[in-house]
mmCIF file with all atom_site columns, all heavy atoms in Angstrom:
data_model
loop_
_atom_site.group_PDB
_atom_site.id
_atom_site.type_symbol
_atom_site.label_atom_id
_atom_site.label_alt_id
_atom_site.label_comp_id
_atom_site.label_asym_id
_atom_site.label_entity_id
_atom_site.label_seq_id
_atom_site.pdbx_PDB_ins_code
_atom_site.Cartn_x
_atom_site.Cartn_y
_atom_site.Cartn_z
_atom_site.occupancy
_atom_site.B_iso_or_equiv
_atom_site.pdbx_formal_charge
_atom_site.auth_seq_id
_atom_site.auth_comp_id
_atom_site.auth_asym_id
_atom_site.auth_atom_id
_atom_site.pdbx_PDB_model_num
ATOM 1   N N   . GLU O 1 48  ? -20.718 -9.989  -25.245 1.00 69.00 ? 171 GLU O N   1
ATOM 2   C CA  . GLU O 1 48  ? -19.822 -11.099 -24.894 1.00 69.00 ? 171 GLU O CA  1
ATOM 3   C C   . GLU O 1 48  ? -19.012 -11.535 -26.103 1.00 69.00 ? 171 GLU O C   1
ATOM 4   O O   . GLU O 1 48  ? -17.822 -11.859 -25.988 1.00 69.00 ? 171 GLU O O   1
ATOM 5   C CB  . GLU O 1 48  ? -20.636 -12.256 -24.330 1.00 69.00 ? 171 GLU O CB  1
ATOM 6   C CG  . GLU O 1 48  ? -21.269 -11.959 -22.973 1.00 69.00 ? 171 GLU O CG  1
ATOM 7   C CD  . GLU O 1 48  ? -22.143 -13.094 -22.483 1.00 69.00 ? 171 GLU O CD  1
ATOM 8   O OE1 . GLU O 1 48  ? -22.312 -14.085 -23.248 1.00 69.00 ? 171 GLU O OE1 1
ATOM 9   O OE2 . GLU O 1 48  ? -22.650 -13.008 -21.351 1.00 69.00 ? 171 GLU O OE2 1
ATOM 10  N N   . VAL O 1 49  ? -19.655 -11.522 -27.285 1.00 64.00 ? 172 VAL O N   1
ATOM 11  C CA  . VAL O 1 49  ? -18.938 -11.903 -28.511 1.00 64.00 ? 172 VAL O CA  1
ATOM 12  C C   . VAL O 1 49  ? -17.834 -10.890 -28.817 1.00 64.00 ? 172 VAL O C   1
ATOM 13  O O   . VAL O 1 49  ? -16.715 -11.269 -29.210 1.00 64.00 ? 172 VAL O O   1
ATOM 14  C CB  . VAL O 1 49  ? -19.924 -12.009 -29.699 1.00 64.00 ? 172 VAL O CB  1
ATOM 15  C CG1 . VAL O 1 49  ? -19.164 -12.239 -31.013 1.00 64.00 ? 172 VAL O CG1 1
ATOM 16  C CG2 . VAL O 1 49  ? -20.917 -13.140 -29.462 1.00 64.00 ? 172 VAL O CG2 1
ATOM 17  N N   . VAL O 1 50  ? -18.143 -9.595  -28.641 1.00 58.00 ? 173 VAL O N   1
ATOM 18  C CA  . VAL O 1 50  ? -17.128 -8.557  -28.873 1.00 58.00 ? 173 VAL O CA  1
ATOM 19  C C   . VAL O 1 50  ? -15.910 -8.814  -27.989 1.00 58.00 ? 173 VAL O C   1
ATOM 20  O O   . VAL O 1 50  ? -14.758 -8.770  -28.460 1.00 58.00 ? 173 VAL O O   1
ATOM 21  C CB  . VAL O 1 50  ? -17.710 -7.151  -28.605 1.00 58.00 ? 173 VAL O CB  1
ATOM 22  C CG1 . VAL O 1 50  ? -16.597 -6.099  -28.674 1.00 58.00 ? 173 VAL O CG1 1
ATOM 23  C CG2 . VAL O 1 50  ? -18.793 -6.818  -29.607 1.00 58.00 ? 173 VAL O CG2 1
ATOM 24  N N   . GLN O 1 51  ? -16.137 -9.067  -26.709 1.00 66.00 ? 174 GLN O N   1
ATOM 25  C CA  . GLN O 1 51  ? -15.035 -9.316  -25.779 1.00 66.00 ? 174 GLN O CA  1
ATOM 26  C C   . GLN O 1 51  ? -14.248 -10.560 -26.166 1.00 66.00 ? 174 GLN O C   1
ATOM 27  O O   . GLN O 1 51  ? -13.013 -10.579 -26.098 1.00 66.00 ? 174 GLN O O   1
ATOM 28  C CB  . GLN O 1 51  ? -15.583 -9.448  -24.360 1.00 66.00 ? 174 GLN O CB  1
ATOM 29  C CG  . GLN O 1 51  ? -16.165 -8.156  -23.810 1.00 66.00 ? 174 GLN O CG  1
ATOM 30  C CD  . GLN O 1 51  ? -16.793 -8.325  -22.439 1.00 66.00 ? 174 GLN O CD  1
ATOM 31  O OE1 . GLN O 1 51  ? -17.022 -9.441  -21.987 1.00 66.00 ? 174 GLN O OE1 1
ATOM 32  N NE2 . GLN O 1 51  ? -17.090 -7.229  -21.770 1.00 66.00 ? 174 GLN O NE2 1
ATOM 33  N N   . GLU O 1 52  ? -14.953 -11.608 -26.570 1.00 73.00 ? 175 GLU O N   1
ATOM 34  C CA  . GLU O 1 52  ? -14.274 -12.844 -26.983 1.00 73.00 ? 175 GLU O CA  1
ATOM 35  C C   . GLU O 1 52  ? -13.388 -12.593 -28.203 1.00 73.00 ? 175 GLU O C   1
ATOM 36  O O   . GLU O 1 52  ? -12.249 -13.069 -28.272 1.00 73.00 ? 175 GLU O O   1
ATOM 37  C CB  . GLU O 1 52  ? -15.312 -13.925 -27.307 1.00 73.00 ? 175 GLU O CB  1
ATOM 38  C CG  . GLU O 1 52  ? -16.030 -14.478 -26.088 1.00 73.00 ? 175 GLU O CG  1
ATOM 39  C CD  . GLU O 1 52  ? -17.158 -15.421 -26.480 1.00 73.00 ? 175 GLU O CD  1
ATOM 40  O OE1 . GLU O 1 52  ? -17.315 -15.674 -27.702 1.00 73.00 ? 175 GLU O OE1 1
ATOM 41  O OE2 . GLU O 1 52  ? -17.871 -15.892 -25.573 1.00 73.00 ? 175 GLU O OE2 1
ATOM 42  N N   . ARG O 1 53  ? -13.912 -11.858 -29.181 1.00 68.00 ? 176 ARG O N   1
ATOM 43  C CA  . ARG O 1 53  ? -13.131 -11.588 -30.402 1.00 68.00 ? 176 ARG O CA  1
ATOM 44  C C   . ARG O 1 53  ? -11.889 -10.758 -30.086 1.00 68.00 ? 176 ARG O C   1
ATOM 45  O O   . ARG O 1 53  ? -10.815 -10.982 -30.648 1.00 68.00 ? 176 ARG O O   1
ATOM 46  C CB  . ARG O 1 53  ? -14.005 -10.858 -31.427 1.00 68.00 ? 176 ARG O CB  1
ATOM 47  C CG  . ARG O 1 53  ? -15.196 -11.657 -31.924 1.00 68.00 ? 176 ARG O CG  1
ATOM 48  C CD  . ARG O 1 53  ? -14.761 -12.862 -32.754 1.00 68.00 ? 176 ARG O CD  1
ATOM 49  N NE  . ARG O 1 53  ? -15.917 -13.620 -33.210 1.00 68.00 ? 176 ARG O NE  1
ATOM 50  C CZ  . ARG O 1 53  ? -16.456 -14.642 -32.554 1.00 68.00 ? 176 ARG O CZ  1
ATOM 51  N NH1 . ARG O 1 53  ? -15.928 -15.038 -31.391 1.00 68.00 ? 176 ARG O NH1 1
ATOM 52  N NH2 . ARG O 1 53  ? -17.503 -15.275 -33.027 1.00 68.00 ? 176 ARG O NH2 1
ATOM 53  N N   . ILE O 1 54  ? -12.039 -9.782  -29.176 1.00 63.00 ? 177 ILE O N   1
ATOM 54  C CA  . ILE O 1 54  ? -10.879 -8.961  -28.808 1.00 63.00 ? 177 ILE O CA  1
ATOM 55  C C   . ILE O 1 54  ? -9.820  -9.817  -28.131 1.00 63.00 ? 177 ILE O C   1
ATOM 56  O O   . ILE O 1 54  ? -8.626  -9.712  -28.433 1.00 63.00 ? 177 ILE O O   1
ATOM 57  C CB  . ILE O 1 54  ? -11.312 -7.793  -27.890 1.00 63.00 ? 177 ILE O CB  1
ATOM 58  C CG1 . ILE O 1 54  ? -12.144 -6.777  -28.676 1.00 63.00 ? 177 ILE O CG1 1
ATOM 59  C CG2 . ILE O 1 54  ? -10.093 -7.107  -27.278 1.00 63.00 ? 177 ILE O CG2 1
ATOM 60  C CD1 . ILE O 1 54  ? -12.715 -5.651  -27.818 1.00 63.00 ? 177 ILE O CD1 1
ATOM 61  N N   . SER O 1 55  ? -10.245 -10.674 -27.199 1.00 64.00 ? 178 SER O N   1
ATOM 62  C CA  . SER O 1 55  ? -9.290  -11.527 -26.481 1.00 64.00 ? 178 SER O CA  1
ATOM 63  C C   . SER O 1 55  ? -8.593  -12.500 -27.428 1.00 64.00 ? 178 SER O C   1
ATOM 64  O O   . SER O 1 55  ? -7.461  -12.907 -27.179 1.00 64.00 ? 178 SER O O   1
ATOM 65  C CB  . SER O 1 55  ? -10.007 -12.305 -25.366 1.00 64.00 ? 178 SER O CB  1
ATOM 66  O OG  . SER O 1 55  ? -10.967 -13.186 -25.908 1.00 64.00 ? 178 SER O OG  1
ATOM 67  N N   . GLU O 1 56  ? -9.261  -12.863 -28.530 1.00 67.00 ? 179 GLU O N   1
ATOM 68  C CA  . GLU O 1 56  ? -8.660  -13.762 -29.524 1.00 67.00 ? 179 GLU O CA  1
ATOM 69  C C   . GLU O 1 56  ? -7.785  -13.015 -30.523 1.00 67.00 ? 179 GLU O C   1
ATOM 70  O O   . GLU O 1 56  ? -7.110  -13.630 -31.350 1.00 67.00 ? 179 GLU O O   1
ATOM 71  C CB  . GLU O 1 56  ? -9.770  -14.505 -30.276 1.00 67.00 ? 179 GLU O CB  1
ATOM 72  C CG  . GLU O 1 56  ? -10.572 -15.468 -29.409 1.00 67.00 ? 179 GLU O CG  1
ATOM 73  C CD  . GLU O 1 56  ? -11.854 -15.930 -30.094 1.00 67.00 ? 179 GLU O CD  1
ATOM 74  O OE1 . GLU O 1 56  ? -12.126 -15.440 -31.224 1.00 67.00 ? 179 GLU O OE1 1
ATOM 75  O OE2 . GLU O 1 56  ? -12.574 -16.757 -29.509 1.00 67.00 ? 179 GLU O OE2 1
ATOM 76  N N   . GLY O 1 57  ? -7.825  -11.669 -30.465 1.00 69.00 ? 180 GLY O N   1
ATOM 77  C CA  . GLY O 1 57  ? -7.061  -10.881 -31.429 1.00 69.00 ? 180 GLY O CA  1
ATOM 78  C C   . GLY O 1 57  ? -7.746  -10.760 -32.770 1.00 69.00 ? 180 GLY O C   1
ATOM 79  O O   . GLY O 1 57  ? -7.145  -10.309 -33.746 1.00 69.00 ? 180 GLY O O   1
ATOM 80  N N   . ASP O 1 58  ? -9.032  -11.152 -32.845 1.00 72.00 ? 181 ASP O N   1
ATOM 81  C CA  . ASP O 1 58  ? -9.807  -11.071 -34.088 1.00 72.00 ? 181 ASP O CA  1
ATOM 82  C C   . ASP O 1 58  ? -10.537 -9.734  -34.105 1.00 72.00 ? 181 ASP O C   1
ATOM 83  O O   . ASP O 1 58  ? -11.722 -9.649  -33.773 1.00 72.00 ? 181 ASP O O   1
ATOM 84  C CB  . ASP O 1 58  ? -10.792 -12.242 -34.160 1.00 72.00 ? 181 ASP O CB  1
ATOM 85  C CG  . ASP O 1 58  ? -11.662 -12.208 -35.421 1.00 72.00 ? 181 ASP O CG  1
ATOM 86  O OD1 . ASP O 1 58  ? -11.375 -11.373 -36.306 1.00 72.00 ? 181 ASP O OD1 1
ATOM 87  O OD2 . ASP O 1 58  ? -12.630 -12.997 -35.495 1.00 72.00 ? 181 ASP O OD2 1
ATOM 88  N N   . PHE O 1 59  ? -9.854  -8.686  -34.538 1.00 70.00 ? 182 PHE O N   1
ATOM 89  C CA  . PHE O 1 59  ? -10.442 -7.359  -34.475 1.00 70.00 ? 182 PHE O CA  1
ATOM 90  C C   . PHE O 1 59  ? -11.437 -7.106  -35.598 1.00 70.00 ? 182 PHE O C   1
ATOM 91  O O   . PHE O 1 59  ? -12.352 -6.293  -35.448 1.00 70.00 ? 182 PHE O O   1
ATOM 92  C CB  . PHE O 1 59  ? -9.337  -6.302  -34.462 1.00 70.00 ? 182 PHE O CB  1
ATOM 93  C CG  . PHE O 1 59  ? -8.548  -6.320  -33.184 1.00 70.00 ? 182 PHE O CG  1
ATOM 94  C CD1 . PHE O 1 59  ? -7.333  -6.984  -33.104 1.00 70.00 ? 182 PHE O CD1 1
ATOM 95  C CD2 . PHE O 1 59  ? -9.039  -5.717  -32.042 1.00 70.00 ? 182 PHE O CD2 1
ATOM 96  C CE1 . PHE O 1 59  ? -6.611  -7.030  -31.924 1.00 70.00 ? 182 PHE O CE1 1
ATOM 97  C CE2 . PHE O 1 59  ? -8.329  -5.750  -30.852 1.00 70.00 ? 182 PHE O CE2 1
ATOM 98  C CZ  . PHE O 1 59  ? -7.117  -6.418  -30.795 1.00 70.00 ? 182 PHE O CZ  1
ATOM 99  N N   . ALA O 1 62  ? -14.445 -8.617  -34.121 1.00 69.00 ? 185 ALA O N   1
ATOM 100 C CA  . ALA O 1 62  ? -14.923 -7.750  -33.046 1.00 69.00 ? 185 ALA O CA  1
ATOM 101 C C   . ALA O 1 62  ? -15.657 -6.541  -33.612 1.00 69.00 ? 185 ALA O C   1
ATOM 102 O O   . ALA O 1 62  ? -16.677 -6.106  -33.068 1.00 69.00 ? 185 ALA O O   1
ATOM 103 C CB  . ALA O 1 62  ? -13.753 -7.295  -32.176 1.00 69.00 ? 185 ALA O CB  1
ATOM 104 N N   . SER O 1 123 ? -7.568  -1.286  -27.798 1.00 81.00 ? 246 SER O N   1
ATOM 105 C CA  . SER O 1 123 ? -7.182  -2.695  -27.702 1.00 81.00 ? 246 SER O CA  1
ATOM 106 C C   . SER O 1 123 ? -6.378  -3.121  -28.929 1.00 81.00 ? 246 SER O C   1
ATOM 107 O O   . SER O 1 123 ? -5.380  -3.840  -28.823 1.00 81.00 ? 246 SER O O   1
ATOM 108 C CB  . SER O 1 123 ? -8.429  -3.578  -27.564 1.00 81.00 ? 246 SER O CB  1
ATOM 109 O OG  . SER O 1 123 ? -9.103  -3.315  -26.361 1.00 81.00 ? 246 SER O OG  1
ATOM 110 N N   . ASP O 1 127 ? -2.540  -4.402  -29.168 1.00 81.00 ? 250 ASP O N   1
ATOM 111 C CA  . ASP O 1 127 ? -2.233  -5.661  -29.849 1.00 81.00 ? 250 ASP O CA  1
ATOM 112 C C   . ASP O 1 127 ? -1.212  -5.463  -30.966 1.00 81.00 ? 250 ASP O C   1
ATOM 113 O O   . ASP O 1 127 ? -0.363  -6.333  -31.215 1.00 81.00 ? 250 ASP O O   1
ATOM 114 C CB  . ASP O 1 127 ? -3.527  -6.260  -30.413 1.00 81.00 ? 250 ASP O CB  1
ATOM 115 C CG  . ASP O 1 127 ? -3.347  -7.678  -30.927 1.00 81.00 ? 250 ASP O CG  1
ATOM 116 O OD1 . ASP O 1 127 ? -3.192  -8.589  -30.085 1.00 81.00 ? 250 ASP O OD1 1
ATOM 117 O OD2 . ASP O 1 127 ? -3.335  -7.875  -32.160 1.00 81.00 ? 250 ASP O OD2 1
ATOM 118 N N   . ASP O 1 384 ? 4.138   -10.096 -23.889 1.00 90.00 ? 507 ASP O N   1
ATOM 119 C CA  . ASP O 1 384 ? 2.780   -9.733  -24.299 1.00 90.00 ? 507 ASP O CA  1
ATOM 120 C C   . ASP O 1 384 ? 2.391   -8.418  -23.626 1.00 90.00 ? 507 ASP O C   1
ATOM 121 O O   . ASP O 1 384 ? 2.110   -8.374  -22.434 1.00 90.00 ? 507 ASP O O   1
ATOM 122 C CB  . ASP O 1 384 ? 1.812   -10.859 -23.882 1.00 90.00 ? 507 ASP O CB  1
ATOM 123 C CG  . ASP O 1 384 ? 0.385   -10.621 -24.356 1.00 90.00 ? 507 ASP O CG  1
ATOM 124 O OD1 . ASP O 1 384 ? 0.009   -9.454  -24.556 1.00 90.00 ? 507 ASP O OD1 1
ATOM 125 O OD2 . ASP O 1 384 ? -0.355  -11.610 -24.517 1.00 90.00 ? 507 ASP O OD2 1
ATOM 126 N N   . GLN O 1 386 ? -0.289  -6.576  -23.942 1.00 86.00 ? 509 GLN O N   1
ATOM 127 C CA  . GLN O 1 386 ? -1.665  -6.507  -23.462 1.00 86.00 ? 509 GLN O CA  1
ATOM 128 C C   . GLN O 1 386 ? -1.771  -7.093  -22.055 1.00 86.00 ? 509 GLN O C   1
ATOM 129 O O   . GLN O 1 386 ? -2.436  -6.526  -21.175 1.00 86.00 ? 509 GLN O O   1
ATOM 130 C CB  . GLN O 1 386 ? -2.601  -7.244  -24.415 1.00 86.00 ? 509 GLN O CB  1
ATOM 131 C CG  . GLN O 1 386 ? -4.068  -6.917  -24.197 1.00 86.00 ? 509 GLN O CG  1
ATOM 132 C CD  . GLN O 1 386 ? -4.910  -7.231  -25.412 1.00 86.00 ? 509 GLN O CD  1
ATOM 133 O OE1 . GLN O 1 386 ? -4.541  -8.023  -26.257 1.00 86.00 ? 509 GLN O OE1 1
ATOM 134 N NE2 . GLN O 1 386 ? -6.068  -6.603  -25.511 1.00 86.00 ? 509 GLN O NE2 1
ATOM 135 N N   . GLN O 1 387 ? -1.087  -8.217  -21.822 1.00 90.00 ? 510 GLN O N   1
ATOM 136 C CA  . GLN O 1 387 ? -1.100  -8.823  -20.495 1.00 90.00 ? 510 GLN O CA  1
ATOM 137 C C   . GLN O 1 387 ? -0.343  -7.962  -19.488 1.00 90.00 ? 510 GLN O C   1
ATOM 138 O O   . GLN O 1 387 ? -0.738  -7.869  -18.325 1.00 90.00 ? 510 GLN O O   1
ATOM 139 C CB  . GLN O 1 387 ? -0.491  -10.230 -20.552 1.00 90.00 ? 510 GLN O CB  1
ATOM 140 C CG  . GLN O 1 387 ? -1.389  -11.269 -21.193 1.00 90.00 ? 510 GLN O CG  1
ATOM 141 C CD  . GLN O 1 387 ? -2.680  -11.452 -20.437 1.00 90.00 ? 510 GLN O CD  1
ATOM 142 O OE1 . GLN O 1 387 ? -2.699  -11.503 -19.212 1.00 90.00 ? 510 GLN O OE1 1
ATOM 143 N NE2 . GLN O 1 387 ? -3.785  -11.548 -21.159 1.00 90.00 ? 510 GLN O NE2 1
ATOM 144 N N   . LYS O 1 390 ? -2.606  -5.093  -18.593 1.00 89.00 ? 513 LYS O N   1
ATOM 145 C CA  . LYS O 1 390 ? -3.673  -5.613  -17.742 1.00 89.00 ? 513 LYS O CA  1
ATOM 146 C C   . LYS O 1 390 ? -3.159  -5.847  -16.321 1.00 89.00 ? 513 LYS O C   1
ATOM 147 O O   . LYS O 1 390 ? -3.837  -5.525  -15.332 1.00 89.00 ? 513 LYS O O   1
ATOM 148 C CB  . LYS O 1 390 ? -4.207  -6.918  -18.330 1.00 89.00 ? 513 LYS O CB  1
ATOM 149 C CG  . LYS O 1 390 ? -5.360  -7.524  -17.555 1.00 89.00 ? 513 LYS O CG  1
ATOM 150 C CD  . LYS O 1 390 ? -5.846  -8.804  -18.210 1.00 89.00 ? 513 LYS O CD  1
ATOM 151 C CE  . LYS O 1 390 ? -6.967  -9.442  -17.405 1.00 89.00 ? 513 LYS O CE  1
ATOM 152 N NZ  . LYS O 1 390 ? -7.432  -10.720 -18.028 1.00 89.00 ? 513 LYS O NZ  1
#
Side-chain angles (χ1 to χ4, degrees):
E171 292 176 356
V172 173
V173 173
Q174 293 176 347
E175 289 173 3
R176 297 293 179 268
I177 291 175
S178 64
E179 294 166 357
D181 179 9
F182 291 98
S246 295
D250 190 72
D507 184 334
Q509 195 159 22
Q510 286 298 317
K513 182 179 178 181

